[in-house]
Amino acid sequence: MVECVICGAEVTKPNDAVIGELIICPDCGTELEITGLDPFTVEEAPQEQEDWGE
Amino acid sequence: MSVKVGFLHTIIRPEEKMLIKELQSRKDVELEMIDVRTLHFNLTKMNFEFDVIFERCINHSRALHALLLYESAGIPCVNTSKVATVCGDKLLTSIALKDNNVPQPEVSVAFTEDTAVRAIEEIGYPVVLKPAVGSWGRLISKINDRDAAETILEHKTILGTYHHSIFYIQKYIQKNGRDIRAFVVDDKCIAAIYRTSEHWLTNTSRGAVASNCPITDELSDISIKAARAVGGGAVAIDIFESDNGLLANEVNYTMEFRNSITTTGVDIPKHLVDYVIKVAQRGSNGKN
């Protein structure tokens, strides 16, 4: 469990977490990117850019 | 024989997670995750020990340039840089579709505000103005009359990046609330969905609802032709139903499919991974 980098709420690691995965802070709704699994770390996810897509 | 797959990515969307699980379930696959943000390429030292690169980046520019570099080092890639180049640019896609006689909505291109208005009025309102590079329906405008045309063109000229100085204009097709997304992998149309929305934009990323679309001969035919036109591989084609038959709208080379597995009953990650392994074992994308 870590704190949301924006609002400080507790964020839990998903069971099948992958580095780079996006998760949502349950309190403030911020998109977070998982940057480490052991220890579990998150950062605010990058903002959508002009060339993002499929 | 084991296959070493380099999984090129930035952030991990639900699609990437499904693909990773599928790759991890294969006994003959050695998976290495490659976050493109951690890479640098020295052109004199490009020795990679991958049998294939599976590109799943969310950024088009990083994906394309990384693919060019890996291919330069002799690594087969899914998709190829050629496919990424063509699909990443709506004008290049339209040219490829035209050159291969794939039906598409009428398209016109202009480079100034004045000629763009002329091009729009030659097609007739309404039209859709799109940035050549972009996805998810972002910055796409439906223009219903000259007032709107002049306003949007002026805003794009003054506020847009240089990409927006190329005006890609497409005839608006009355979609009756839906379009089709067809998935083609290795020259086969494996699945298709309807994307239904009350909004004129029918991207699922904008809230359109997915439902199964039966694969007719006509749908399979235009989907495979569109895929071949852009260079083959594994692509998703957006298709309009018009009074004159099906029209290919866009082709996507890093397909999103989170809403298309339960709706179609087709295991899209399995098809993609099968294709990636096939390319690795063949040592190239073959005819594609």
Side-chain angles (χ1 to χ4, degrees):
Chain A
M1 198 175 295
V2 293
E3 286 188 356
C4 171
V5 293
I6 301 299
C7 72
E10 289 183 349
V11 178
T12 307
K13 183 170 84 168
N15 288 333
D16 56 353
V18 176
I19 289 178
E21 181 178 349
L22 296 180
I23 55 175
I24 306 292
C25 170
D27 266 28
C28 70
T30 296
E31 229 176 13
L32 302 167
E33 179 181 352
I34 297 175
T35 52
L37 298 177
D38 189 18
F40 180 49
T41 54
V42 296
E43 289 179 4
E44 187 176 5
Q47 297 294 306
E48 183 176 328
Q49 295 167 13
E50 197 170 348
D51 70 338
W52 277 29
E54 51 175 332
Chain B
M1 195 179 78
S2 177
V3 167
K4 186 164 184 182
V5 177
F7 191 94
L8 193 67
H9 68 94
T10 43
I11 56 172
I12 302 291
R13 293 167 285 185
E15 286 80 6
E16 280 75 48
K17 213 161 171 189
M18 287 185 251
L19 291 166
I20 291 165
K21 281 185 181 166
E22 181 64 30
L23 285 160
Q24 288 172 334
S25 74
R26 305 293 182 100
K27 288 179 185 159
D28 56 347
V29 167
E30 182 186 346
L31 176 62
E32 183 169 325
M33 302 297 290
I34 311 169
D35 188 333
V36 74
R37 295 168 294 183
T38 67
L39 289 180
H40 70 277
F41 293 86
N42 182 325
L43 267 61
T44 62
K45 299 176 185 171
M46 294 210 298
N47 296 310
F48 305 108
E49 294 182 347
F50 299 111
D51 296 305
V52 65
I53 291 292
F54 189 10
E55 185 282 307
R56 290 294 311 180
C57 294
I58 202 164
N59 298 79
H60 166 61
S61 54
R62 289 174 181 166
L64 173 59
H65 289 84
L67 287 170
L68 288 163
L69 289 157
Y70 280 115
E71 285 177 348
S72 171
I75 311 292
C77 297
V78 175
N79 280 300
T80 65
S81 62
K82 181 197 168 191
V83 173
T85 299
V86 175
C87 295
D89 184 311
K90 291 179 176 60
L91 177 54
L92 295 183
T93 302
S94 290
I95 291 170
L97 295 174
K98 177 193 79 67
D99 290 349
N100 289 275
N101 300 311
V102 182
Q104 64 179 317
E106 185 178 351
V107 169
S108 193
V109 175
F111 306 111
T112 69
E113 290 177 59
D114 287 346
T115 54
V117 171
R118 292 216 309 264
I120 289 168
E121 299 199 335
E122 184 182 285
I123 289 176
Y125 297 104
V127 298
V128 179
L129 186 63
K130 302 180 176 184
V133 176
S135 192
W136 299 335
R138 191 175 44 235
L139 295 175
I140 291 182
S141 308
K142 178 168 171 252
I143 299 176
N144 296 325
D145 56 34
R146 179 177 276 220
D147 288 347
E150 290 176 346
T151 302
I152 290 169
L153 292 168
E154 182 183 15
H155 277 73
K156 279 188 176 286
T157 302
I158 293 173
L159 300 175
T161 61
Y162 81 95
H163 292 295
H164 294 274
S165 63
I166 308 297
F167 299 110
Y168 176 102
I169 301 150
Q170 186 184 60
K171 182 178 179 63
Y172 176 72
I173 302 297
Q174 187 59 250
K175 296 192 276 187
N176 296 318
R178 73 180 189 190
D179 71 0
I180 297 171
R181 158 67 59 99
F183 300 90
V184 173
V185 179
D186 197 16
D187 220 32
K188 295 182 195 70
C189 183
I190 60 165
I193 57 167
Y194 290 118
R195 305 187 302 180
T196 304
S197 174
E198 291 181 8
H199 196 279
W200 70 273
L201 284 169
T202 43
N203 306 68
T204 51
S205 58
R206 308 279 290 238
V209 176
S211 60
N212 185 48
C213 172
I215 303 174
T216 61
D217 289 345
E218 185 189 11
L219 177 58
S220 177
D221 185 56
I222 191 172
S223 302
I224 291 170
K225 280 182 180 165
R228 287 178 183 167
V230 300
V235 292
I237 300 112
D238 296 342
I239 294 169
F240 296 145
E241 300 163 289
S242 80
D243 294 339
N244 299 317
L246 299 179
L247 303 172
N249 175 33
E250 295 179 5
V251 186
N252 301 281
Y253 74 97
T254 312
M255 59 172 76
E256 292 177 330
F257 50 79
R258 71 192 70 169
N259 301 308
S260 307
I261 298 172
T262 52
T263 44
T264 63
V266 176
D267 190 343
I268 296 172
K270 176 184 178 302
H271 283 274
L272 287 170
V273 168
D274 284 346
Y275 177 60
V276 168
I277 293 171
K278 184 176 171 182
V279 169
Q281 290 173 336
R282 198 166 53 194
S284 77
N285 295 67
K287 65 186 176 187
N288 298 327

PDB file of all heavy atoms in Angstrom, chain B residues 57-74:
ATOM      1  N   CYS B  57       3.316   0.573 -27.887  1.00  0.00           N
ATOM      2  CA  CYS B  57       3.462   1.908 -27.286  1.00  0.00           C
ATOM      3  C   CYS B  57       2.192   2.729 -27.507  1.00  0.00           C
ATOM      4  O   CYS B  57       1.521   2.589 -28.523  1.00  0.00           O
ATOM      5  CB  CYS B  57       4.612   2.664 -27.930  1.00  0.00           C
ATOM      6  SG  CYS B  57       6.216   1.962 -27.618  1.00  0.00           S
ATOM      7  N   ILE B  58       1.940   3.625 -26.579  1.00  0.00           N
ATOM      8  CA  ILE B  58       0.782   4.504 -26.736  1.00  0.00           C
ATOM      9  C   ILE B  58       1.149   5.745 -27.556  1.00  0.00           C
ATOM     10  O   ILE B  58       0.279   6.390 -28.129  1.00  0.00           O
ATOM     11  CB  ILE B  58       0.200   4.881 -25.358  1.00  0.00           C
ATOM     12  CG1 ILE B  58      -1.259   5.305 -25.498  1.00  0.00           C
ATOM     13  CG2 ILE B  58       1.021   5.952 -24.659  1.00  0.00           C
ATOM     14  CD1 ILE B  58      -2.011   5.322 -24.188  1.00  0.00           C
ATOM     15  N   ASN B  59       2.455   6.075 -27.617  1.00  0.00           N
ATOM     16  CA  ASN B  59       2.908   7.224 -28.417  1.00  0.00           C
ATOM     17  C   ASN B  59       3.253   6.771 -29.825  1.00  0.00           C
ATOM     18  O   ASN B  59       4.122   5.914 -30.008  1.00  0.00           O
ATOM     19  CB  ASN B  59       4.193   7.832 -27.844  1.00  0.00           C
ATOM     20  CG  ASN B  59       4.044   8.374 -26.464  1.00  0.00           C
ATOM     21  OD1 ASN B  59       4.053   7.609 -25.510  1.00  0.00           O
ATOM     22  ND2 ASN B  59       3.921   9.678 -26.351  1.00  0.00           N
ATOM     23  N   HIS B  60       2.633   7.373 -30.811  1.00  0.00           N
ATOM     24  CA  HIS B  60       2.947   7.019 -32.199  1.00  0.00           C
ATOM     25  C   HIS B  60       4.396   7.353 -32.549  1.00  0.00           C
ATOM     26  O   HIS B  60       5.095   6.543 -33.165  1.00  0.00           O
ATOM     27  CB  HIS B  60       1.992   7.761 -33.138  1.00  0.00           C
ATOM     28  CG  HIS B  60       2.429   7.728 -34.566  1.00  0.00           C
ATOM     29  ND1 HIS B  60       2.570   6.542 -35.268  1.00  0.00           N
ATOM     30  CD2 HIS B  60       2.787   8.725 -35.436  1.00  0.00           C
ATOM     31  CE1 HIS B  60       2.974   6.818 -36.493  1.00  0.00           C
ATOM     32  NE2 HIS B  60       3.112   8.111 -36.618  1.00  0.00           N
ATOM     33  N   SER B  61       4.860   8.538 -32.169  1.00  0.00           N
ATOM     34  CA  SER B  61       6.199   8.958 -32.608  1.00  0.00           C
ATOM     35  C   SER B  61       7.278   8.049 -32.032  1.00  0.00           C
ATOM     36  O   SER B  61       8.199   7.630 -32.737  1.00  0.00           O
ATOM     37  CB  SER B  61       6.454  10.417 -32.210  1.00  0.00           C
ATOM     38  OG  SER B  61       6.230  10.589 -30.830  1.00  0.00           O
ATOM     39  N   ARG B  62       7.161   7.704 -30.750  1.00  0.00           N
ATOM     40  CA  ARG B  62       8.167   6.816 -30.147  1.00  0.00           C
ATOM     41  C   ARG B  62       8.082   5.428 -30.761  1.00  0.00           C
ATOM     42  O   ARG B  62       9.099   4.790 -31.029  1.00  0.00           O
ATOM     43  CB  ARG B  62       7.949   6.729 -28.638  1.00  0.00           C
ATOM     44  CG  ARG B  62       8.322   8.006 -27.910  1.00  0.00           C
ATOM     45  CD  ARG B  62       7.945   7.896 -26.447  1.00  0.00           C
ATOM     46  NE  ARG B  62       8.260   9.123 -25.728  1.00  0.00           N
ATOM     47  CZ  ARG B  62       7.798   9.395 -24.522  1.00  0.00           C
ATOM     48  NH1 ARG B  62       6.998   8.549 -23.902  1.00  0.00           N
ATOM     49  NH2 ARG B  62       8.132  10.524 -23.911  1.00  0.00           N
ATOM     50  N   ALA B  63       6.862   4.944 -30.967  1.00  0.00           N
ATOM     51  CA  ALA B  63       6.680   3.613 -31.547  1.00  0.00           C
ATOM     52  C   ALA B  63       7.327   3.539 -32.919  1.00  0.00           C
ATOM     53  O   ALA B  63       8.114   2.629 -33.201  1.00  0.00           O
ATOM     54  CB  ALA B  63       5.184   3.302 -31.660  1.00  0.00           C
ATOM     55  N   LEU B  64       7.021   4.513 -33.745  1.00  0.00           N
ATOM     56  CA  LEU B  64       7.520   4.486 -35.127  1.00  0.00           C
ATOM     57  C   LEU B  64       9.047   4.516 -35.158  1.00  0.00           C
ATOM     58  O   LEU B  64       9.685   3.729 -35.865  1.00  0.00           O
ATOM     59  CB  LEU B  64       6.944   5.677 -35.901  1.00  0.00           C
ATOM     60  CG  LEU B  64       7.508   5.867 -37.305  1.00  0.00           C
ATOM     61  CD1 LEU B  64       7.253   4.634 -38.160  1.00  0.00           C
ATOM     62  CD2 LEU B  64       6.893   7.091 -37.953  1.00  0.00           C
ATOM     63  N   HIS B  65       9.635   5.414 -34.387  1.00  0.00           N
ATOM     64  CA  HIS B  65      11.088   5.549 -34.461  1.00  0.00           C
ATOM     65  C   HIS B  65      11.797   4.349 -33.831  1.00  0.00           C
ATOM     66  O   HIS B  65      12.843   3.910 -34.325  1.00  0.00           O
ATOM     67  CB  HIS B  65      11.525   6.874 -33.843  1.00  0.00           C
ATOM     68  CG  HIS B  65      11.137   8.047 -34.698  1.00  0.00           C
ATOM     69  ND1 HIS B  65       9.890   8.628 -34.643  1.00  0.00           N
ATOM     70  CD2 HIS B  65      11.802   8.689 -35.686  1.00  0.00           C
ATOM     71  CE1 HIS B  65       9.824   9.596 -35.540  1.00  0.00           C
ATOM     72  NE2 HIS B  65      10.967   9.650 -36.187  1.00  0.00           N
ATOM     73  N   ALA B  66      11.233   3.795 -32.777  1.00  0.00           N
ATOM     74  CA  ALA B  66      11.824   2.581 -32.199  1.00  0.00           C
ATOM     75  C   ALA B  66      11.731   1.423 -33.194  1.00  0.00           C
ATOM     76  O   ALA B  66      12.687   0.656 -33.351  1.00  0.00           O
ATOM     77  CB  ALA B  66      11.121   2.233 -30.889  1.00  0.00           C
ATOM     78  N   LEU B  67      10.603   1.306 -33.875  1.00  0.00           N
ATOM     79  CA  LEU B  67      10.456   0.236 -34.881  1.00  0.00           C
ATOM     80  C   LEU B  67      11.499   0.389 -35.987  1.00  0.00           C
ATOM     81  O   LEU B  67      12.119  -0.591 -36.419  1.00  0.00           O
ATOM     82  CB  LEU B  67       9.051   0.271 -35.493  1.00  0.00           C
ATOM     83  CG  LEU B  67       7.918  -0.221 -34.590  1.00  0.00           C
ATOM     84  CD1 LEU B  67       6.563   0.086 -35.202  1.00  0.00           C
ATOM     85  CD2 LEU B  67       8.049  -1.723 -34.335  1.00  0.00           C
ATOM     86  N   LEU B  68      11.708   1.616 -36.446  1.00  0.00           N
ATOM     87  CA  LEU B  68      12.716   1.844 -37.489  1.00  0.00           C
ATOM     88  C   LEU B  68      14.091   1.396 -37.022  1.00  0.00           C
ATOM     89  O   LEU B  68      14.860   0.781 -37.772  1.00  0.00           O
ATOM     90  CB  LEU B  68      12.744   3.338 -37.856  1.00  0.00           C
ATOM     91  CG  LEU B  68      11.538   3.847 -38.656  1.00  0.00           C
ATOM     92  CD1 LEU B  68      11.465   5.366 -38.605  1.00  0.00           C
ATOM     93  CD2 LEU B  68      11.606   3.369 -40.097  1.00  0.00           C
ATOM     94  N   LEU B  69      14.395   1.669 -35.753  1.00  0.00           N
ATOM     95  CA  LEU B  69      15.714   1.310 -35.220  1.00  0.00           C
ATOM     96  C   LEU B  69      15.858  -0.196 -35.051  1.00  0.00           C
ATOM     97  O   LEU B  69      16.883  -0.774 -35.421  1.00  0.00           O
ATOM     98  CB  LEU B  69      15.939   2.046 -33.894  1.00  0.00           C
ATOM     99  CG  LEU B  69      16.172   3.560 -34.076  1.00  0.00           C
ATOM    100  CD1 LEU B  69      15.836   4.323 -32.805  1.00  0.00           C
ATOM    101  CD2 LEU B  69      17.614   3.826 -34.495  1.00  0.00           C
ATOM    102  N   TYR B  70      14.832  -0.839 -34.511  1.00  0.00           N
ATOM    103  CA  TYR B  70      14.923  -2.301 -34.351  1.00  0.00           C
ATOM    104  C   TYR B  70      15.007  -2.995 -35.707  1.00  0.00           C
ATOM    105  O   TYR B  70      15.757  -3.950 -35.886  1.00  0.00           O
ATOM    106  CB  TYR B  70      13.729  -2.829 -33.550  1.00  0.00           C
ATOM    107  CG  TYR B  70      13.875  -2.640 -32.062  1.00  0.00           C
ATOM    108  CD1 TYR B  70      13.019  -1.811 -31.349  1.00  0.00           C
ATOM    109  CD2 TYR B  70      14.878  -3.301 -31.348  1.00  0.00           C
ATOM    110  CE1 TYR B  70      13.150  -1.640 -29.985  1.00  0.00           C
ATOM    111  CE2 TYR B  70      15.022  -3.131 -29.981  1.00  0.00           C
ATOM    112  CZ  TYR B  70      14.153  -2.295 -29.303  1.00  0.00           C
ATOM    113  OH  TYR B  70      14.294  -2.121 -27.958  1.00  0.00           O
ATOM    114  N   GLU B  71      14.246  -2.513 -36.661  1.00  0.00           N
ATOM    115  CA  GLU B  71      14.312  -3.124 -37.997  1.00  0.00           C
ATOM    116  C   GLU B  71      15.689  -2.900 -38.622  1.00  0.00           C
ATOM    117  O   GLU B  71      16.224  -3.783 -39.301  1.00  0.00           O
ATOM    118  CB  GLU B  71      13.213  -2.549 -38.898  1.00  0.00           C
ATOM    119  CG  GLU B  71      11.836  -3.108 -38.562  1.00  0.00           C
ATOM    120  CD  GLU B  71      10.716  -2.502 -39.381  1.00  0.00           C
ATOM    121  OE1 GLU B  71      10.937  -1.485 -40.071  1.00  0.00           O
ATOM    122  OE2 GLU B  71       9.604  -3.043 -39.316  1.00  0.00           O
ATOM    123  N   SER B  72      16.252  -1.736 -38.371  1.00  0.00           N
ATOM    124  CA  SER B  72      17.597  -1.462 -38.883  1.00  0.00           C
ATOM    125  C   SER B  72      18.609  -2.444 -38.300  1.00  0.00           C
ATOM    126  O   SER B  72      19.596  -2.788 -38.946  1.00  0.00           O
ATOM    127  CB  SER B  72      17.992  -0.024 -38.541  1.00  0.00           C
ATOM    128  OG  SER B  72      19.345   0.208 -38.844  1.00  0.00           O
ATOM    129  N   ALA B  73      18.337  -2.903 -37.096  1.00  0.00           N
ATOM    130  CA  ALA B  73      19.218  -3.888 -36.446  1.00  0.00           C
ATOM    131  C   ALA B  73      18.854  -5.321 -36.842  1.00  0.00           C
ATOM    132  O   ALA B  73      19.427  -6.277 -36.303  1.00  0.00           O
ATOM    133  CB  ALA B  73      19.137  -3.720 -34.930  1.00  0.00           C
ATOM    134  N   GLY B  74      17.890  -5.469 -37.745  1.00  0.00           N
ATOM    135  CA  GLY B  74      17.565  -6.795 -38.264  1.00  0.00           C
ATOM    136  C   GLY B  74      16.529  -7.564 -37.485  1.00  0.00           C
ATOM    137  O   GLY B  74      16.353  -8.764 -37.699  1.00  0.00           O
TER     138      GLY B  74
END
